[in-house]
Amino acid sequence: MPALLDDTMRVRLELQPDSLVAVPVPPVDSARLEWLRTPPTVRDLVGDRVGCIETDAPHQFNNAVMAYVTLFTARNRSYMQRVLERENLYFPLFEKYLAQYNLPLDLKYLAVVESALIPTAKSPVGATGLWQFMGPTAGDLRLKRDEWIDERMAPEKATEAACKHLRYLYGVFHDWELVLAAYNWGAGSVQRVIRRTGKKTFWDLYPYMPAETRNYVPTFTAIMYSMKYAEAHGLRTPTLRYQYAEPMDTLSLRGRAFDLRRLSQACGYDDSLYLTRFNPELRRAALPAGYRSYVVRFPAAAAVHFGEADRNTLLDYCQPATELPRPLAFLPPRLEGVEPWGNRSLLAATTGPRADDAEAAPRFRRVPHKVRRGETLASLAERFDVSQSQLRRWNELPKGRSLKPGRELVVFVPIPVAAPGKSAESIAAVPVAMPVPAVRVRPAVSDEEAVARHEQAEANAREVARLQEVIRREKMQEVHLAAIRQRQAVQQAAAEAQARIAARRQAQVASLAASAKRAEAKSVVPVAETDTEAPVQTASAAAPKEIRENFGPYLVRKGDNLTKLAREHNLTLAQLMAWNELESETVTLGQRLVFQAPAEDAPAPRKALKNASAPAKSAVAAAPRPAVEKRLPASQVHLVQPGDTLFNISRRFGVSVQVLRELNHLASDEVKLGQKLLVPQS
C-alpha cells in the first residue's frame, strides 16, 4: 500500500463530509421506482387503449389524462384498490338506471370521481351522497331532506335523480364533455362562458374554466381507463375485500316510532349500528312516531332470527327505549297589545273567544266616510277620536301623502262604555252590547218582529250618535275652559307685574323729590317754561323703559353690549358692571342683567354726577310724574289675529307704536299670528 500512494490512478480519494460534491441520494419510494422502471412506450400504450374504448362517454387522450392515469395506477394505487372493492356493490345498480334512461353505461364512473363510491360522502361545500348533490339541486330533483332522513345518501333514489339530471344536461349541451363540466360547475356557468367566448367544445373552453372543472373531464377519463385495465396494471390482488350485493328484505314502519339498533339486535348482529350500512339515508338511528312512511332494509338472511314473530310484534320490540324529541307546535308571536290570529290549534288549546267576558272585549262601530275637500288626516282623526296611525292602518294609506277628495275611508269608532253617573239604559241599547242568545227561541221571524228589530237598530244607532256628540261637546268645553284659565293666569301675572312697577316708581319719585328739595335749598336755578316741558316729555318717554326694566332681569339679545345698554337706561358702564358683578365688558347671548342697584346700595343717577343743575331739572321733571302714572293704566294681553299689524293695534288701543315696541321688547314692527302683546288698557 505505501508503494501505491504515488500512483493516483489507483488511489481512491475520500471526500470530506462537508464537501459540496457529496450530495446524499434521496430514497426512492416504490411507486416512483415502479414508474422509473416503466418503459417510455407506456404513454403510447395507454393512448392506444383509451382510443380502443367503445363508449359514448368522454375518452379523449392527452397529457392531462396521462398525468391522472399515472396518479391512479402508480402513485396512488391504494385509492383505486378501495374503489375496486366497492365496484361490484354499486355498479349493477348504476347500470340498471342508466339503461332505463337510455344513457351511456360508462357514466357509472362519474360516481367514482364524485364520491369514490361512498354513499355518506360529504364535501366541504355541502355536496352529499354518491352523486354529490347540493341542497338546491336535490330540491329540484325531489330528494327529501330533513333532520331525520337525507335521501341524497339513498343509493337508488340518488342514482335515479342523477340519471334525470344528466339527461337534462345532455338536452341542453348535446356534448358529453360539456355535460360533465356542467355537472361540476353548473349549467348556467358553462352557458355564460360559451356566450362570452363563442367556443363550443370543452377543450376550446379549457383555459376559461376554473381549475377544478378543467381537471374534471381528464379525471373521469383516467378513472374509466384505470378500472377497465386494472388487471393490466396489477391493481386487482387476492388481498382485496370485495363487496357484493345481498338479497334484501324490507319492513314498512307506517308512522310508528322505530329504533334501528333494536332491529340490529333482533337480527342477531353484535354491532348495534350494523344495519346503518344498508340504510345510509338515516341521519339518526331512530325515527319518531308520526313520521312519514319509511321502509327499512335489512338482509333477508337475518329473517331467520325473527322466528314466527309477525310485523306488529317486531315493531313493538323495535320501539325506542326513550321517547324521541318531537317538533314543537307552532305558536304565533305574542306582541303587547296585539292579539294573535285565531286558528284551530289555538281555539282547541283555549276555551274559545265566546268564553271571555263580553264587557272586557272592546266595542267598535264601523263607520264609512267619504273625504271632502279640505279634510286632512289630522282633522278626521280628531273628529272621530282616533289616531292618525290607526286611520292609515285601517285604510292602507301611505305615510306623508295627502287625502284626495272623494276617497272612501273606513273608521272604527269606539263605542263609549256606560259611566257610573250616566243612565245605563241608553248605553245598553247599543247593538254590540246586546247579549247573544245561546238558543234560538223560534226558527222563523215574522214581518212585524223584523220591522220592530229594524226600528230598534235605528234607534240604537241614533242613541250612539247622540252620545258621541255629547262626548265631543264635553271635550270642546274642556279645551275652551283650559284656554280661559290660561288667559286669566296671564292677565293676573301682568296685573301683578304692573302693581310692582307702580310701587317701585312711587318710591323712586319720592326719592327724587327729596333730592330736588335739598338741591333747591343750596342753589336756586331759574327754569324757563319751555325747559319744564321737555323733562316731562322725557319722563313720559322714559316710562316704558322703567316698566321694561322693572319686569325683572333683562336677557341679553343679539347685538347688545354694555355700552349700548347703559346709554339706553341712563346709567354708567361702571354702575352696570358693579350691579351685575361683571369682571369685563363682555356679555353673552341670553345672559341676565339688572339695571338698578341692590337693596343695600343707594341709587346714583348719572345726571347728578355731571353738574349741580341736574337735581333741579330732575325735581322739575319729577313733579308731574303722578299725572303720568294716571295716564298709563294697567296693561292687558292682546293675541295677534290674522291681518293685525303693530300700527293697527296701536290705533285700536290709542297708544303709540314706540310704546308698544318698548313695552313688548320688539326690535322691529313685525308681529306674528298668535303672538301675545302687552297693551295699555284704554
Side-chain angles (χ1 to χ4, degrees), residues 342-377:
N343 50 27
R344 293 183 179 179
S345 59
L346 187 61
L347 292 177
T350 60
T351 56
R354 295 186 179 179
D356 300 336
D357 189 6
E359 296 295 334
R363 303 171 182 176
F364 295 93
R365 184 169 61 91
R366 182 188 180 98
V367 178
H369 177 75
K370 189 174 183 180
V371 180
R372 300 185 182 91
R373 186 179 300 276
E375 289 183 340
T376 62
L377 203 63

Short mmCIF file of all heavy atoms in Angstrom, two decimals, residues 342-377:
data_model
loop_
_atom_site.label_atom_id
_atom_site.label_comp_id
_atom_site.label_asym_id
_atom_site.label_seq_id
_atom_site.Cartn_x
_atom_site.Cartn_y
_atom_site.Cartn_z
N GLY A 342 -106.67 33.92 15.28
CA GLY A 342 -107.25 32.67 15.77
C GLY A 342 -107.12 31.55 14.76
O GLY A 342 -107.26 31.75 13.55
N ASN A 343 -106.78 30.37 15.19
CA ASN A 343 -106.72 29.19 14.34
C ASN A 343 -107.27 28.00 15.12
O ASN A 343 -107.64 28.10 16.29
CB ASN A 343 -105.29 28.92 13.87
CG ASN A 343 -104.30 28.91 15.01
OD1 ASN A 343 -104.66 28.62 16.14
ND2 ASN A 343 -103.04 29.24 14.72
N ARG A 344 -107.30 26.85 14.46
CA ARG A 344 -107.91 25.68 15.09
C ARG A 344 -107.14 25.21 16.31
O ARG A 344 -107.72 24.88 17.35
CB ARG A 344 -108.00 24.55 14.07
CG ARG A 344 -108.98 24.83 12.93
CD ARG A 344 -109.08 23.64 11.99
NE ARG A 344 -110.03 23.89 10.91
CZ ARG A 344 -110.29 23.02 9.94
NH1 ARG A 344 -109.69 21.83 9.92
NH2 ARG A 344 -111.17 23.34 8.99
N SER A 345 -105.79 25.19 16.18
CA SER A 345 -105.00 24.73 17.32
C SER A 345 -105.12 25.68 18.50
O SER A 345 -105.19 25.25 19.65
CB SER A 345 -103.53 24.61 16.89
OG SER A 345 -103.04 25.86 16.44
N LEU A 346 -105.17 26.99 18.22
CA LEU A 346 -105.30 27.95 19.31
C LEU A 346 -106.66 27.85 19.98
O LEU A 346 -106.79 27.92 21.21
CB LEU A 346 -105.07 29.37 18.78
CG LEU A 346 -105.00 30.49 19.82
CD1 LEU A 346 -103.84 30.25 20.77
CD2 LEU A 346 -104.86 31.83 19.14
N LEU A 347 -107.73 27.67 19.17
CA LEU A 347 -109.06 27.53 19.75
C LEU A 347 -109.19 26.22 20.53
O LEU A 347 -109.91 26.15 21.53
CB LEU A 347 -110.12 27.59 18.65
CG LEU A 347 -110.27 28.94 17.95
CD1 LEU A 347 -111.30 28.85 16.84
CD2 LEU A 347 -110.66 30.02 18.94
N ALA A 348 -108.51 25.16 20.04
CA ALA A 348 -108.57 23.88 20.75
C ALA A 348 -107.83 23.95 22.08
O ALA A 348 -108.19 23.28 23.05
CB ALA A 348 -108.00 22.77 19.88
N ALA A 349 -106.75 24.77 22.14
CA ALA A 349 -105.97 24.88 23.36
C ALA A 349 -106.62 25.78 24.39
O ALA A 349 -106.25 25.76 25.56
CB ALA A 349 -104.56 25.39 23.04
N THR A 350 -107.57 26.62 23.96
CA THR A 350 -108.24 27.52 24.88
C THR A 350 -109.73 27.22 24.89
O THR A 350 -110.22 26.35 24.16
CB THR A 350 -107.99 28.99 24.46
OG1 THR A 350 -108.51 29.18 23.14
CG2 THR A 350 -106.51 29.29 24.45
N THR A 351 -110.45 27.97 25.68
CA THR A 351 -111.90 27.79 25.75
C THR A 351 -112.62 28.52 24.66
O THR A 351 -113.84 28.42 24.55
CB THR A 351 -112.40 28.28 27.12
OG1 THR A 351 -111.98 29.64 27.29
CG2 THR A 351 -111.84 27.42 28.24
N GLY A 352 -111.92 29.30 23.82
CA GLY A 352 -112.55 29.99 22.71
C GLY A 352 -112.87 31.42 23.06
O GLY A 352 -112.90 31.83 24.23
N PRO A 353 -113.14 32.24 22.06
CA PRO A 353 -113.40 33.65 22.32
C PRO A 353 -114.73 33.92 23.00
O PRO A 353 -114.88 34.93 23.68
CB PRO A 353 -113.36 34.26 20.90
CG PRO A 353 -113.74 33.13 19.99
CD PRO A 353 -113.17 31.89 20.63
N ARG A 354 -115.72 33.02 22.85
CA ARG A 354 -117.02 33.29 23.45
C ARG A 354 -117.02 33.08 24.95
O ARG A 354 -117.95 33.49 25.64
CB ARG A 354 -118.08 32.38 22.82
CG ARG A 354 -118.31 32.69 21.34
CD ARG A 354 -119.45 31.88 20.79
NE ARG A 354 -119.69 32.17 19.40
CZ ARG A 354 -120.63 31.59 18.67
NH1 ARG A 354 -121.41 30.67 19.22
NH2 ARG A 354 -120.79 31.91 17.39
N ALA A 355 -115.97 32.41 25.46
CA ALA A 355 -115.91 32.19 26.90
C ALA A 355 -115.46 33.44 27.64
O ALA A 355 -115.60 33.53 28.85
CB ALA A 355 -114.97 31.03 27.22
N ASP A 356 -114.87 34.40 26.95
CA ASP A 356 -114.42 35.62 27.60
C ASP A 356 -115.61 36.48 27.99
O ASP A 356 -116.70 36.38 27.42
CB ASP A 356 -113.48 36.40 26.67
CG ASP A 356 -112.25 35.58 26.31
OD1 ASP A 356 -111.93 34.68 27.12
OD2 ASP A 356 -111.64 35.85 25.26
N ASP A 357 -115.38 37.35 28.92
CA ASP A 357 -116.43 38.26 29.37
C ASP A 357 -116.73 39.27 28.28
O ASP A 357 -115.84 39.88 27.71
CB ASP A 357 -115.96 38.97 30.65
CG ASP A 357 -117.10 39.75 31.28
OD1 ASP A 357 -118.23 39.64 30.78
OD2 ASP A 357 -116.83 40.46 32.26
N ALA A 358 -118.00 39.45 27.99
CA ALA A 358 -118.38 40.37 26.92
C ALA A 358 -118.05 41.80 27.28
O ALA A 358 -117.78 42.63 26.42
CB ALA A 358 -119.87 40.23 26.62
N GLU A 359 -118.07 42.15 28.59
CA GLU A 359 -117.78 43.51 28.99
C GLU A 359 -116.31 43.85 28.80
O GLU A 359 -115.95 45.01 28.60
CB GLU A 359 -118.18 43.71 30.46
CG GLU A 359 -119.67 43.56 30.71
CD GLU A 359 -120.47 44.63 30.01
OE1 GLU A 359 -119.91 45.72 29.76
OE2 GLU A 359 -121.65 44.38 29.70
N ALA A 360 -115.41 42.85 28.90
CA ALA A 360 -113.98 43.12 28.77
C ALA A 360 -113.55 43.29 27.32
O ALA A 360 -112.48 43.82 27.05
CB ALA A 360 -113.18 41.98 29.40
N ALA A 361 -114.36 42.82 26.36
CA ALA A 361 -113.97 42.91 24.95
C ALA A 361 -114.19 44.34 24.44
O ALA A 361 -115.15 45.00 24.82
CB ALA A 361 -114.81 41.93 24.12
N PRO A 362 -113.31 44.84 23.59
CA PRO A 362 -113.51 46.19 23.05
C PRO A 362 -114.67 46.21 22.08
O PRO A 362 -114.96 45.24 21.39
CB PRO A 362 -112.17 46.46 22.34
CG PRO A 362 -111.64 45.12 22.01
CD PRO A 362 -112.07 44.21 23.11
N ARG A 363 -115.38 47.35 22.03
CA ARG A 363 -116.54 47.51 21.17
C ARG A 363 -116.27 48.62 20.18
O ARG A 363 -115.92 49.74 20.58
CB ARG A 363 -117.78 47.84 22.01
CG ARG A 363 -118.07 46.79 23.08
CD ARG A 363 -119.16 47.28 24.02
NE ARG A 363 -119.42 46.31 25.07
CZ ARG A 363 -120.28 46.51 26.07
NH1 ARG A 363 -120.94 47.66 26.14
NH2 ARG A 363 -120.46 45.59 26.98
N PHE A 364 -116.43 48.33 18.92
CA PHE A 364 -116.19 49.30 17.86
C PHE A 364 -117.37 49.28 16.89
O PHE A 364 -118.08 48.28 16.78
CB PHE A 364 -114.89 48.99 17.10
CG PHE A 364 -113.66 49.12 17.95
CD1 PHE A 364 -113.14 48.02 18.60
CD2 PHE A 364 -113.02 50.33 18.10
CE1 PHE A 364 -112.01 48.13 19.39
CE2 PHE A 364 -111.90 50.46 18.88
CZ PHE A 364 -111.40 49.36 19.53
N ARG A 365 -117.53 50.38 16.22
CA ARG A 365 -118.58 50.50 15.21
C ARG A 365 -117.94 50.94 13.90
O ARG A 365 -117.15 51.89 13.87
CB ARG A 365 -119.63 51.53 15.64
CG ARG A 365 -120.81 51.65 14.69
CD ARG A 365 -121.90 52.47 15.33
NE ARG A 365 -121.47 53.82 15.64
CZ ARG A 365 -121.60 54.87 14.81
NH1 ARG A 365 -122.17 54.70 13.63
NH2 ARG A 365 -121.19 56.07 15.16
N ARG A 366 -118.23 50.24 12.83
CA ARG A 366 -117.66 50.53 11.51
C ARG A 366 -118.43 51.69 10.88
O ARG A 366 -119.63 51.61 10.67
CB ARG A 366 -117.75 49.28 10.63
CG ARG A 366 -117.13 49.43 9.25
CD ARG A 366 -117.46 48.21 8.42
NE ARG A 366 -116.89 48.31 7.08
CZ ARG A 366 -115.75 47.75 6.71
NH1 ARG A 366 -115.05 47.07 7.59
NH2 ARG A 366 -115.29 47.88 5.49
N VAL A 367 -117.69 52.77 10.59
CA VAL A 367 -118.30 53.98 10.04
C VAL A 367 -117.64 54.29 8.70
O VAL A 367 -116.44 54.59 8.66
CB VAL A 367 -118.14 55.17 11.00
CG1 VAL A 367 -118.73 56.44 10.39
CG2 VAL A 367 -118.80 54.86 12.34
N PRO A 368 -118.37 54.23 7.58
CA PRO A 368 -117.78 54.66 6.30
C PRO A 368 -117.79 56.18 6.20
O PRO A 368 -118.72 56.86 6.66
CB PRO A 368 -118.70 54.01 5.26
CG PRO A 368 -120.01 53.87 5.96
CD PRO A 368 -119.72 53.65 7.41
N HIS A 369 -116.76 56.73 5.58
CA HIS A 369 -116.66 58.19 5.45
C HIS A 369 -116.07 58.52 4.08
O HIS A 369 -115.08 57.90 3.66
CB HIS A 369 -115.79 58.78 6.55
CG HIS A 369 -115.59 60.27 6.42
ND1 HIS A 369 -116.57 61.17 6.74
CD2 HIS A 369 -114.52 60.99 5.99
CE1 HIS A 369 -116.11 62.40 6.52
NE2 HIS A 369 -114.87 62.31 6.07
N LYS A 370 -116.66 59.50 3.41
CA LYS A 370 -116.18 59.97 2.12
C LYS A 370 -115.44 61.29 2.34
O LYS A 370 -115.99 62.24 2.91
CB LYS A 370 -117.35 60.16 1.15
CG LYS A 370 -116.92 60.45 -0.27
CD LYS A 370 -118.14 60.49 -1.19
CE LYS A 370 -117.70 60.71 -2.64
NZ LYS A 370 -118.87 60.74 -3.56
N VAL A 371 -114.18 61.34 1.89
CA VAL A 371 -113.33 62.51 2.13
C VAL A 371 -113.89 63.70 1.35
O VAL A 371 -114.16 63.61 0.15
CB VAL A 371 -111.88 62.21 1.72
CG1 VAL A 371 -111.00 63.43 1.96
CG2 VAL A 371 -111.35 61.02 2.50
N ARG A 372 -114.05 64.83 2.07
CA ARG A 372 -114.49 66.08 1.44
C ARG A 372 -113.29 66.99 1.19
O ARG A 372 -112.20 66.76 1.71
CB ARG A 372 -115.52 66.78 2.32
CG ARG A 372 -116.77 65.95 2.60
CD ARG A 372 -117.78 66.77 3.39
NE ARG A 372 -118.98 65.99 3.70
CZ ARG A 372 -119.13 65.29 4.81
NH1 ARG A 372 -118.16 65.27 5.70
NH2 ARG A 372 -120.24 64.60 5.02
N ARG A 373 -113.52 68.02 0.42
CA ARG A 373 -112.45 68.96 0.09
C ARG A 373 -112.04 69.72 1.36
O ARG A 373 -112.87 70.25 2.09
CB ARG A 373 -112.92 69.93 -0.99
CG ARG A 373 -111.82 70.87 -1.50
CD ARG A 373 -112.36 71.79 -2.58
NE ARG A 373 -112.87 71.02 -3.71
CZ ARG A 373 -112.10 70.57 -4.70
NH1 ARG A 373 -110.79 70.81 -4.68
NH2 ARG A 373 -112.64 69.90 -5.70
N GLY A 374 -110.76 69.77 1.60
CA GLY A 374 -110.22 70.48 2.76
C GLY A 374 -109.99 69.60 3.97
O GLY A 374 -109.35 70.05 4.94
N GLU A 375 -110.48 68.36 3.97
CA GLU A 375 -110.26 67.47 5.12
C GLU A 375 -108.88 66.84 5.06
O GLU A 375 -108.40 66.47 3.98
CB GLU A 375 -111.33 66.38 5.15
CG GLU A 375 -112.71 66.89 5.53
CD GLU A 375 -113.72 65.76 5.63
OE1 GLU A 375 -113.46 64.68 5.05
OE2 GLU A 375 -114.76 65.97 6.26
N THR A 376 -108.26 66.73 6.20
CA THR A 376 -106.94 66.10 6.32
C THR A 376 -107.02 64.92 7.27
O THR A 376 -108.05 64.70 7.94
CB THR A 376 -105.90 67.11 6.83
OG1 THR A 376 -106.30 67.55 8.14
CG2 THR A 376 -105.80 68.32 5.90
N LEU A 377 -105.93 64.18 7.31
CA LEU A 377 -105.89 63.00 8.19
C LEU A 377 -105.98 63.43 9.65
O LEU A 377 -106.61 62.77 10.48
CB LEU A 377 -104.61 62.21 7.94
CG LEU A 377 -104.63 60.73 8.33
CD1 LEU A 377 -105.65 60.00 7.49
CD2 LEU A 377 -103.26 60.11 8.14
#
